[in-house]
């Protein structure tokens, strides 16, 4: 509502009401109606509520069960003879040599790798005696935005791949997009998008959408869901689906400062292939001042263990063994780690 300026009196101008800070009356019903249909109103209200909760960042979608991966032996087992030699050339650059002794039916192998890392960039590359090349590059464009790429050139074209990835880390969520062997001409490739959100200080929920097109006339999509519940720093529950045909659940517990234990259950149901199976693995890890011990057993009668003995600073001796009671197969490995 506009107010007319009052006439001058004694040569002094009287200010208008708008100049004094008075706002015109707004119809309350119209304002509520505008907010009801305005999606930005709900977005601002949600952001204000999230800021009041002050939730932590949930981490990466693919690292929801990171504690289980470091406790179980799945990613640490090896057989035969192995030696890893690392040389630190500078605070940001080091090179590594890996020797693998040949087993029956497998030739001996050698790998050379180099790593460069600083606050914003990570570069890693390695090549073996078969001239198979693997390279990775991670670069942080800002504190929240990071781009990643991986390349793998193998002697077999079917195993070669290229992957590009973008990740945005918010205050209480993580958004990630990924493309594997993308083709701009026919649209083939594998494309993934994941979102992980902290619901509370203990609970995180997420989803991952996968779209793949191995051929121009074939397209497939699947949706995966994930949940992580961490009531305290010494335990975590994780449940994750892979499409509609696979479910993985895990439980991790830090028993003491030197002992960690975990269990993982995987269920696969593929009626079209006549496949319906489940596997359960239980593992424990002990960390002492001069040694690390990992042990694992599953429902298929497979028992494995890995011992890492730290003989001197930068020098470790490893012994691994695996007994498969159902198949009657045994594996044994000896390794050396040297860092200078």
């Amino acid at each position: 509502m506009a107010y007319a300026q009052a006439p001058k009196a004694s040569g002094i101008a009287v200010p208008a009401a708008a100049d004094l800070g008075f706002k015109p009356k707004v119809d309350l019903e119209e304002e509520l109606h505008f907010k009801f249909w305005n999606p930005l109103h709900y977005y601002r209200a949600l952001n204000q509520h999230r800021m009041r909760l002050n939730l932590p960042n949930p981490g990466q979608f693919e690292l929801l069960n990171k504690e289980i991966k470091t406790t179980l032996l799945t990613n640490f087992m090896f057989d035969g003879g192995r030696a890893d030699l690392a040389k630190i050339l500078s605070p940001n650059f080091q090179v590594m040599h890996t020797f693998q002794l040949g087993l029956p039916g497998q030739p001996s192998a050698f790998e050379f790798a180099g790593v460069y890392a600083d606050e914003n960039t990570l570069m890693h590359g390695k090549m073996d005696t078969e001239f198979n090349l693997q390279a990775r590059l991670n670069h942080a464009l800002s504190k929240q935005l990071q781009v990643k790429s991986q390349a793998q050139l193998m002697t077999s074209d079917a195993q070669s791949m290229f992957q590009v990835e973008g990740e945005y880390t918010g205050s209480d969520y993580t958004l990630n997009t990924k493309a594997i062997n993308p083709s701009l001409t026919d649209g083939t490739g594998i494309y993934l998008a994941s979102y992980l959100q902290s619901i509370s200080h203990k609970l995180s929920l997420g989803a991952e959408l996968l779209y793949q097109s191995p051929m121009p006339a074939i397209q497939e999509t699947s949706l995966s869901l994930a949940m992580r519940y961490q009531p305290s720093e010494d335990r975590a529950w994780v449940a994750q689906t892979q499409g509609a045909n696979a479910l993985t659940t895990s439980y991790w517990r830090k028993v003491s400062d030197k002992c960690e234990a975990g269990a993982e259950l995987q269920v696969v149901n593929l009626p079209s292939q006549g496949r319906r199976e489940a596997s359960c693995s239980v593992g424990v890890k002990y960390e002492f001042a001069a040694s690390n011990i990992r042990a694992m057993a599953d429902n298929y009668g497979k028992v494995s263990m890995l011992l890492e003995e730290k003989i001197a600073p930068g020098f470790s001796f490893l012994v691994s063994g695996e007994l498969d009671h159902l198949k009657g197969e045994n594996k044994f490995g000896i390794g050396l780690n040297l860092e200078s």
Side-chain angles (χ1 to χ4, degrees):
M1 181 176 179
Y3 295 87
Q5 184 176 348
K8 296 182 180 180
S10 304
I12 300 176
V14 179
D19 298 332
L20 297 177
F22 294 102
K23 296 182 179 180
K25 295 182 179 180
V26 179
D27 191 348
L28 181 59
E29 184 178 354
E30 292 183 1
E31 182 179 358
L32 293 176
H33 181 76
F34 174 76
K35 290 183 177 180
F36 179 80
W37 292 104
N38 185 13
L40 294 179
H41 168 70
Y42 298 98
Y43 178 75
R44 296 192 189 100
L46 180 61
N47 280 341
Q48 292 175 1
H49 179 67
R50 288 165 51 190
M51 295 297 292
R52 288 193 298 266
L53 293 177
N54 192 24
L55 298 176
N57 182 270
Q60 298 178 348
F61 188 90
E62 57 188 11
L63 296 179
L64 277 175
N65 55 351
K66 55 186 177 181
E67 294 87 357
I68 285 291
K69 292 182 178 180
T70 58
T71 302
L72 299 183
L73 268 172
T74 307
N75 300 325
F76 298 92
M77 277 299 300
F78 67 94
D79 56 346
R82 179 174 179 175
D84 296 317
L85 310 178
K87 177 67 175 179
I88 300 177
L89 302 178
S90 71
N92 303 107
F93 182 67
Q94 68 175 359
V95 295
M96 292 168 288
H97 306 268
T98 300
F99 301 88
Q100 181 75 40
L101 295 182
L103 298 174
Q106 298 181 3
S108 300
F110 168 76
E111 286 185 354
F112 174 77
V115 179
Y116 173 83
D118 58 20
E119 296 181 356
N120 299 321
T121 305
L122 169 66
M123 293 186 292
H124 175 265
K126 64 180 181 179
M127 177 179 288
D128 59 15
T129 53
E130 300 293 331
F131 296 101
N132 296 318
L133 175 65
Q134 299 182 31
R136 181 176 60 175
L137 170 64
N138 297 352
H139 182 67
L141 300 177
S142 64
K143 293 182 178 180
Q144 292 80 24
L145 184 60
Q146 188 177 19
V147 293
K148 307 175 184 179
S149 62
Q150 296 184 33
Q152 181 173 292
L153 301 177
M154 311 295 286
T155 54
S156 174
D157 294 338
Q159 298 179 356
S160 299
M161 58 85 68
F162 172 73
Q163 174 180 311
V164 61
E165 181 179 351
E167 184 174 275
Y168 184 84
T169 304
S171 59
D172 59 353
Y173 68 93
T174 301
L175 177 64
N176 182 281
T177 58
K178 189 182 303 181
I180 303 174
N181 291 336
S183 177
L184 301 178
T185 56
D186 53 10
T188 58
I190 302 175
Y191 306 89
L192 300 97
S194 63
Y195 181 80
L196 187 61
Q197 172 71 54
S198 292
I199 305 301
S200 67
H201 289 273
K202 301 178 181 180
L203 179 64
S204 301
L205 300 177
E208 183 180 60
L209 178 63
L210 181 145
Y211 169 83
Q212 58 180 347
S213 177
M215 300 178 63
I218 301 176
Q219 293 87 26
E220 298 178 359
T221 59
S222 64
L223 179 65
S224 301
L225 304 177
M227 179 195 72
R228 177 184 172 91
Y229 178 69
Q230 188 171 7
S232 59
E233 294 184 357
D234 60 351
R235 66 190 67 188
W237 300 80
V238 177
Q240 200 168 359
T241 65
Q242 297 178 2
N245 301 316
L247 171 66
T248 302
T249 61
S250 63
Y251 173 69
W252 171 84
R253 174 73 184 272
K254 187 173 183 179
V255 182
S256 65
D257 294 337
K258 299 180 180 180
C259 178
E260 299 178 11
E264 186 179 57
L265 173 65
Q266 295 181 348
V267 180
V268 178
N269 183 23
L270 295 173
S272 60
Q273 301 180 8
R275 180 185 175 190
R276 181 176 298 176
E277 58 186 26
S279 63
C280 179
S281 302
V282 180
V284 62
K285 178 178 71 172
Y286 287 93
E287 291 186 352
F288 302 101
S291 62
N292 295 332
I293 301 176
R294 288 181 172 89
M296 186 179 71
D298 59 19
N299 61 321
Y300 291 106
K302 186 183 298 183
V303 180
S304 55
M305 191 183 79
L306 174 65
L307 169 64
E308 180 182 0
E309 184 72 21
K310 301 176 183 178
I311 300 176
F315 180 65
S316 301
F317 176 72
L318 294 86
V319 178
S320 67
E322 182 180 277
L323 301 177
D324 194 332
H325 294 85
L326 294 183
K327 296 182 179 179
E329 298 178 355
N330 303 325
K331 295 181 180 180
F332 181 76
I334 297 178
L336 295 174
N337 285 343
L338 179 61
E339 182 177 329
S340 61

